[in-house]
Every structure is written in structure tokens, then in C-alpha cells.
Amino acid sequence: MNDTVRPNSNPQPVDGMVMPRFGDIATFMRLPVFRDPGAVDVALCGVPWDGGTTNRAGARHGPREIRNMSSLMRRVNHATKVAPYELARCGDLGDCSVNPIDLMETLKRVEAYFGKLHAAGAVPLAAGGDHLITLPIFRAIAKHQPVGMVHFDAHTDTWDSYFGGFKYTHGTPFRRAIEEGLLDPKRTIQIGIRGSLYRLDDMDWGLEQGIRVVTIEEYFDLGPDKVIAEARRVVGDGPTYVSFDVDGLDPVYAPGTGTPEIGGYSTAEAQKMLRGLRGLDLVGGDVVEVSPPFDQTGGTAIVGATMMFEILCLLAEAVARRKASK
Ligand code: MN
Ligand code: MN
């Protein structure tokens, strides 16, 4: 083990062999709560907000349910053997303050919150919330250098506007992020795109910017290994964000979401793809669009919590690698 890693002094989750996992306070992954972002390398946090939702709302309840179901997560990734809490200081930073009835005000609050994390050197791992939350996160972390993105979703989220010119919805964050110079379209790959369109030319804008769009049809033709090889080629060595919209999954696996689209990849395939991102220069991630009111069994919150754990393993490794190279 690298001597920059201090396993014994890192925050640890509540031990499931001591306190059963149905017990105690439901924090992300049973980690301790910190209010000071300087205390952690990876900040797990919630954005309980769905003001950008154009159709079926409810993702504001996502962070709390993901916290609850994340108590099922253990300490070590069984496939990669990554033990995130030995590699990095991880903690639950609570929820970002939001205003459920004022979208523009909330965008400012989310940006300010993630700006504080970023200034303290903490890498964010956010639980949404709807997908518009990623825009203010980018405003906080990508102001000085645009990020690349590996984006799992049924939707491109690069529409221009809704409802007569309104520019800020969960269907528009990546168009805004590219326009604002926060997201490098040539280092962006979208995986799982499908569903009926509003218009035949819906996807053209993103393709013209240079986004690599992997439709679900191409995904099934290539398979997860080749798609991830393509993702690694697209994002390269630069700073990269992982955004995981649970509606990229088939709704058989994740029905508790606002905009389900049939014919997606499975949870096992998504885990395989996420694990294929090891070694990239990852600077943050999120899991969005878990909507507990549509999640009758709680199964989608388990999926959200598990994908968050997979991304946490990636971020902890990236943090440890950057620390070791300093
Ligand atoms: Mn989305
Ligand atoms: Mn989506």
C-alpha cells in the first residue's frame, strides 16, 4: 500500500458486523457526516431537487431513499477489490440547500455549495435530484477547465428549450454546459440513447458539436467492452466527470424514475461499464433521476445506491492516484 494512504485515520462506515445494517442513522454508505468539506477527499452529498423535471416529478426524494438503501453497501468492491475507504477520506456532506419553488435561485445555491466543496479540494459525488443538477455542479468545478464526460442515459439532455423558450430543464443541462464552455463536447460520450423523439433532428445539435452518441442499438451491437473502450478513447487523459441517469437502464431494473424508456442495458452491464472506467482522471460524478414516488419496491433506490458505490470506488482510486503523484 502506498504510504500516502492512511487507512486507519480515514473516516470509516459504521461496521455492519457491529451495528446491523438496518440500524443507526441512514447516511450515504453509513459514512460519518461532515459539514466541513475540508475533512474529506470525496464528498457524498444530496441535491434534493426536481424543479427541472418536465414530466413526472419526484426525484427530490431521491437522496433520502438512496441514503437509506445505501446501508446495503459493504466496504469492498467484490469485482475490482477496490476498498474506497482505505484509499480516500470519504464522508456524507449532507444535502445542498435548495428552493423547491425557485429554479433559478436553486441553480445559484447548488453552484455555491459545490463551489465550496471544490475550493476545499473535495471531489463531489452527488445523488440527485433531476439531471439539471449537473449544470450548476459543472459551473462550480469546470469554470477554469472544461471537463469531459461519460454520460449514461436514455436521453441526450441536449435539447434547447421547453415550453416556449425556457432554457433550464433536465432535458437541457448539457446544451447549456457546452454553450457555457464547461463541458468539452469532443470529450463527451453518451451511452444508451433511445426513446421516441420530439422531432427528427433532435440529436443533430449534439452530433454537430462532436459528442459521441452511442444509441442503445449501437450499444447492443458492440457490447459493453467495446463501448467502454470507445469511451476511454473519447475522454482520454483529461479531467472527466461520470454522470449516471438511472433511466439509461432498462426500466425492468429501474422503474422508479420519471422518464423511463424500454430497451435499455441491465444493471450488471452498467456495473461492468463503470468498472471499465478505472484509471481515468475522474473529477466527480452523480447518480440522478431516482424518483421514489414511482419506486414501489424501493428497488430503484438500491440501484442508485449501488451505482453510487461503483462510482465512489472509481473516484477514491483517482484521488489516491493524484495524491501519490504529487
Ligand atoms: Mn438525463
Ligand atoms: Mn434520462
Side-chain angles (χ1 to χ4, degrees):
M1 180 157 291
N2 191 297
D3 61 7
T4 60
V5 175
R6 297 165 296 132
N8 296 327
S9 63
N10 285 349
Q12 298 294 320
V14 174
D15 187 342
M17 293 297 184
V18 175
M19 170 64 81
R21 289 186 291 154
F22 50 81
D24 219 336
I25 301 163
T27 61
F28 286 121
M29 316 299 164
R30 311 189 89 203
L31 285 163
V33 172
F34 296 94
R35 295 296 177 181
D36 170 15
V40 298
D41 303 307
V42 183
L44 291 83
C45 54
V47 186
W49 187 66
D50 54 21
T53 302
T54 54
N55 189 359
R56 307 194 307 166
R60 68 179 63 182
H61 303 290
R64 188 165 288 189
E65 289 309 309
I66 292 173
R67 277 195 180 87
N68 190 22
M69 291 302 181
S70 76
S71 63
L72 277 90
M73 298 304 112
R74 303 181 190 83
R75 303 171 47 84
V76 181
N77 188 308
H78 83 276
T80 62
K81 309 297 187 241
V82 171
Y85 314 118
E86 296 185 14
L87 293 172
R89 298 174 301 157
C90 307
D92 186 330
L93 270 282
D95 281 356
C96 170
S97 159
V98 300
N99 179 342
I101 53 173
D102 189 333
L103 184 152
M104 299 309 285
E105 161 68 15
T106 298
L107 291 179
K108 285 185 204 154
R109 289 191 194 185
V110 177
E111 180 183 351
Y113 176 92
F114 284 88
K116 276 186 195 151
L117 300 189
H118 187 63
V123 168
L125 176 51
D130 71 46
H131 220 156
L132 183 55
I133 71 162
T134 312
L135 175 64
I137 294 173
F138 282 177
R139 286 174 174 167
I141 71 169
K143 223 170 253 160
H144 303 295
Q145 184 182 9
V147 291
M149 176 171 66
V150 182
H151 174 198
F152 298 90
D153 206 321
H155 313 102
T156 61
D157 298 346
T158 53
W159 280 281
D160 183 40
S161 63
Y162 282 65
F163 314 132
F166 192 69
K167 298 266 190 182
Y168 299 99
T169 80
H170 69 162
T172 65
F174 302 121
R175 183 118 159 197
R176 297 291 93 76
I178 290 167
E179 289 170 349
E180 294 178 25
L182 306 169
L183 176 65
D184 181 351
K186 296 190 171 58
R187 295 187 51 241
T188 295
I189 184 166
Q190 302 182 311
I191 303 170
I193 303 304
R194 64 187 184 278
S196 52
L197 304 171
Y198 291 102
R199 295 158 47 104
L200 187 58
D201 63 0
D202 273 357
M203 306 240 281
D204 290 1
W205 186 87
L207 293 168
E208 283 161 14
Q209 307 308 305
I211 296 177
R212 176 71 169 93
V213 177
V214 179
T215 64
I216 200 69
E217 288 75 17
E218 185 181 6
Y219 169 83
F220 282 118
D221 284 346
L222 293 177
D225 291 326
K226 282 187 184 152
V227 169
I228 284 308
E230 178 69 349
R232 299 181 71 94
R233 181 192 69 77
V234 168
V235 302
D237 297 332
T240 299
Y241 191 90
V242 180
S243 194
F244 194 97
D245 182 331
V246 291
D247 71 31
L249 295 160
D250 192 280
V252 164
Y253 302 93
T257 193
T259 320
E261 307 284 357
I262 69 163
Y265 32 75
S266 71
T267 43
E269 290 170 310
Q271 286 176 293
K272 190 172 204 286
M273 287 194 280
L274 286 171
R275 291 167 191 160
L277 303 179
R278 291 177 76 185
L280 298 179
D281 187 26
L282 299 174
V283 295
D286 58 45
V287 174
V288 298
E289 302 285 356
V290 170
S291 183
F294 293 109
D295 192 20
Q296 297 195 0
T297 64
T300 309
I302 297 173
V303 168
T306 309
M307 297 308 164
M308 210 171 162
F309 180 75
E310 294 284 355
I311 297 171
L312 173 61
C313 292
L314 297 170
L315 294 177
E317 272 195 308
V319 162
R321 207 168 41 244
R322 286 194 288 264
K323 277 190 176 179
S325 72
K326 265 184 192 161

